[in-house]
Amino acid sequence: MPNFLPINTILVPQGAEYKAVCRGLSNVTGSIPTIVAIPVGMNPLLKYLQQSQVNGQFLAPKSRVLIMGICGSLSDRHKVGDIVLYQDCVYQGKQQECDRTFTAQLHSYLSEKVSLVKALTSDRMIWSATEKCRLGEALAADVVDMEGFTALEFFNAAGVAVAMLRVVSDDCQHNIPDLTPAINSDGSLNPFALAMGMLRQPLAATRLIRGSLTALKVLEQVTNLLLYKN
């Protein structure tokens, strides 16, 4: 199967998500997209994209950017390991849409393996099951991430076609540790703060680790599925 969609660049949060996507591409031959590790969080990502704009990265005419990674579920319909394809993203009452043609092509190719969703972008980690369910109902949103809206706002303004494909790493029925304090101002993760956050809530941490490992494996597989050439 050829790289049927001319995907120029894949953006994926740095760390485990980036490594999973790279593993998914490890046996892909021929032309593959540029894989770029991006910072975690809205403000760090915006700064990064604005700096990249200065040197012209990502903004070639007719370029297509695919954003990949993991996300949290806000709905009983989406379980750990489910693959979701964003239609749009909301943040504080504002909405940004993904490129319809690009998204439709991805949806057609992945068909039964993927669900179309509405996403919420948050400037902090949504860790409480109660809050996940409340936000899901109030905003009619299916999943939550920390980068989607910012990326869409930036690329839509620049006229770059964007699609977003993520894998659910935590469900809406259980708490996960609040790891917001472990995210540095530059969008990197602080290993010590991360470890302390995990230790404070061992059961929630175990659940998060298990869910993340499942999601990362699926992320690796779907990357390979999208771009592997027979």
Side-chain angles (χ1 to χ4, degrees), residues 70 80-81 167-171 174-177 198 202-218:
I70 59 178
V80 171
V167 181
V168 175
S169 62
D170 54 281
D171 63 34
H174 301 94
N175 294 347
I176 56 172
M198 293 286 204
L203 282 177
T206 302
R207 191 177 294 114
L208 176 63
I209 291 167
R210 194 183 300 128
S212 296
L213 289 173
T214 298
L216 291 167
K217 187 65 184 171
V218 175

